[in-house]
């Protein structure tokens, strides 16, 4: 498990000779708690996204140092009991334990990174399909929804933190709040249909996002939809495998990136709500996809 931080620099760690049974036990438990599996991203990397975690990490390291000085059994006991509580904000995925480096969507073979934007975790994937002349269904794109665990907990733990993951994934209010609150979310679209034109994508957004905007605003949306779709300019190509990231930044700012290049940035709580409702709302593009995403979101927040 390369790239995973170890407590070797902490005072007290030196009392355990490398390779000894006690060293192995505590070291393995440490890695299980703060490791991120094959993603090989370190806890320190998360501080780039949520700066206050740096202080939290330092405080936890001090606690670990003091605990290690108390002896191996005490250290192992403390580490063992900390995986779902004290380290919840520092492990990339407190509920799931590990984050994969890449996740393959099985029906299309398209891949999604386990971690996006340094701190957002992939919660699940789904498919966007369309019928051609009512006869044949094609997969236009596959999508993955990412969430920032710290943002999710900060906005929703007071209301939902005591509920189990199983309770959360069945709770309509939970999805509604994830959609409407200023939680750090990204939906990544990966193009599957090789003949997709940018004009078709723009039209699809005009229909789907536009329908939600009208629903949530009672038709009083002004030029919001056109300002959003104007980011999809005619000279943009969308070959198979192209990624489109739609990210809600703090303050309800929807950022649009195509293959990593920013093409749009628009502040609107209504637009953010209208977009994410397509994927995890009451009438999602892919019901099975919503179930997958819902389980992932619930696991990040629930008490398991």
């Amino acid at each position: 498990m390369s790239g995973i931080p170890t407590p070797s620099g902490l005072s007290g760690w030196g009392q355990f000779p490398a390779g000894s049974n006690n060293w192995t036990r505590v070291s393995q438990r440490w890695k299980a708690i703060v490791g991120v599996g094959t993603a090989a991203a370190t806890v320190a990397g998360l501080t780039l996204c949520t700066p206050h975690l740096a202080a939290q990490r330092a405080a936890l390291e001090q606690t670990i140092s003091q605990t290690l000085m108390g002896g191996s059994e005490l250290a192992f006991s403390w580490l063992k009991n900390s995986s779902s509580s004290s380290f919840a904000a520092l492990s990339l995925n407190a509920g799931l334990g590990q984050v994969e480096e890449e996740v393959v969507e099985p029906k299309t073979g398209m891949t999604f990174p386990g971690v996006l934007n340094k701190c957002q975790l992939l919660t699940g994937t789904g498919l966007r399909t369309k019928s051609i002349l009512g006869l044949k269904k094609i997969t236009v794109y596959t999508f993955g929804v990412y969430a920032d665990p710290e943002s999710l907990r900060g906005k929703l733990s007071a209301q939902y933190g005591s509920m189990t993951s199983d309770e959360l994934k069945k709770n309509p209010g939970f999805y509604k709040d994830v959609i409407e609150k200023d939680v750090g979310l990204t939906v990544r679209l990966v193009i599957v249909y090789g003949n997709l034109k940018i004009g078709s994508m723009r039209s699809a957004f005009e229909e789907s996002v536009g329908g939600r905007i009208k629903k949530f605003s009672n038709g009083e949306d002004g030029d919001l939809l056109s300002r959003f779709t104007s980011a999809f300019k005619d000279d943009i190509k969308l070959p198979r495998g192209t990624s489109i990231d739609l990210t809600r930044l703090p303050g309800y700012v929807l950022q649009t990136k195509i293959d990593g290049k920013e093409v749009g940035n628009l502040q609107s709580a209504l637009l953010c709500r209208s977009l994410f409702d397509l994927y995890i709302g009451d009438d999602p593009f892919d019901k099975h996809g919503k179930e997958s995403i819902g389980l992932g979101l619930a696991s990040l927040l629930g008490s398991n």
Side-chain angles (χ1 to χ4, degrees):
M1 295 174 72
S2 62
I4 295 173
T6 67
S8 57
L10 305 180
S11 31
W13 186 248
Q15 68 173 297
F16 306 121
S20 67
N21 288 337
N22 287 335
W23 184 93
T24 301
R25 291 174 68 199
V26 180
S27 178
Q28 287 178 346
R29 191 59 193 170
W30 167 275
K31 290 182 179 182
I33 293 171
V34 302
V36 295
T38 55
T42 66
V43 172
L46 292 179
T47 64
L48 297 175
C49 189
T50 49
H52 72 280
L53 285 182
Q56 197 171 6
R57 173 178 167 80
L60 283 171
E61 286 185 343
Q62 183 179 10
T63 301
I64 295 168
S65 294
Q66 294 170 349
T67 307
L68 287 170
M69 294 297 290
S72 60
E73 291 305 316
L74 178 61
F76 183 72
S77 175
W78 187 86
L79 289 167
K80 179 180 179 181
N81 294 325
S82 297
S83 60
S84 61
S85 54
S86 299
F87 270 85
L90 292 180
S91 60
L92 270 176
N93 193 336
L96 302 180
Q98 289 189 346
V99 176
E100 299 296 332
E101 183 175 7
E102 283 190 342
V103 174
V104 179
E105 197 292 309
K107 293 184 178 179
T108 63
M110 294 298 181
T111 60
F112 290 85
V115 182
L116 196 66
N117 301 325
K118 294 186 173 29
C119 65
Q120 292 188 342
L121 308 181
L122 180 64
T123 60
T125 62
L127 301 174
R128 175 58 168 143
T129 59
K130 292 284 286 184
S131 295
I132 298 179
L133 301 177
L135 300 175
K136 180 182 178 182
K137 273 191 175 182
I138 64 167
T139 299
V140 182
Y141 60 81
T142 179
F143 61 87
V145 172
Y146 293 78
D148 175 356
E150 185 70 6
S151 174
L152 186 71
R153 297 181 187 114
K155 298 293 192 299
L156 301 181
S157 62
Q159 184 172 355
Y160 299 106
S162 63
M163 298 178 68
T164 67
S165 299
D166 191 56
E167 290 171 332
L168 282 174
K169 71 179 183 180
K170 300 174 183 177
N171 188 328
F174 172 59
Y175 292 95
K176 184 175 184 292
D177 282 336
V178 172
I179 291 169
E180 295 184 10
K181 302 288 186 181
D182 197 17
V183 175
L185 287 182
T186 294
V187 57
R188 165 167 284 195
L189 319 180
V190 181
I191 304 302
V192 175
Y193 183 58
N195 294 321
L196 185 65
K197 306 299 182 185
I198 191 68
S200 299
M201 195 68 179
R202 187 167 54 237
S203 297
F205 277 130
E206 288 171 349
E207 178 183 351
S208 58
V209 178
R212 294 301 203 276
I213 289 176
K214 289 180 180 179
K215 174 183 176 180
F216 297 137
S217 69
N218 297 317
E220 299 177 4
D221 58 274
D223 62 348
L224 179 60
L225 179 61
S226 61
R227 285 190 290 147
F228 168 61
T229 58
S230 66
F232 300 92
K233 301 186 183 303
D234 290 337
D235 61 343
I236 296 175
K237 306 299 182 184
L238 296 176
R240 179 179 169 87
T242 299
S243 65
I244 301 174
D245 290 348
L246 301 158
T247 300
R248 177 164 56 196
L249 302 174
Y252 296 98
V253 174
L254 187 68
Q255 178 191 67
T256 303
K257 289 183 177 181
I258 299 180
D259 277 345
K261 179 181 179 182
E262 183 175 331
V263 296
N265 195 302
L266 185 59
Q267 193 279 329
S268 170
L270 173 59
L271 178 59
C272 292
R273 179 186 180 189
S274 299
L275 175 76
F276 292 113
D277 189 77
L278 297 172
Y279 302 96
I280 56 174
D282 292 337
D283 185 22
F285 283 152
D286 183 346
K287 291 183 179 180
H288 293 297
K290 176 186 173 178
E291 291 176 1
S292 166
I293 294 161
L295 177 60
L297 288 167
S299 297
L300 292 178
L301 184 64
S303 57
N304 298 310

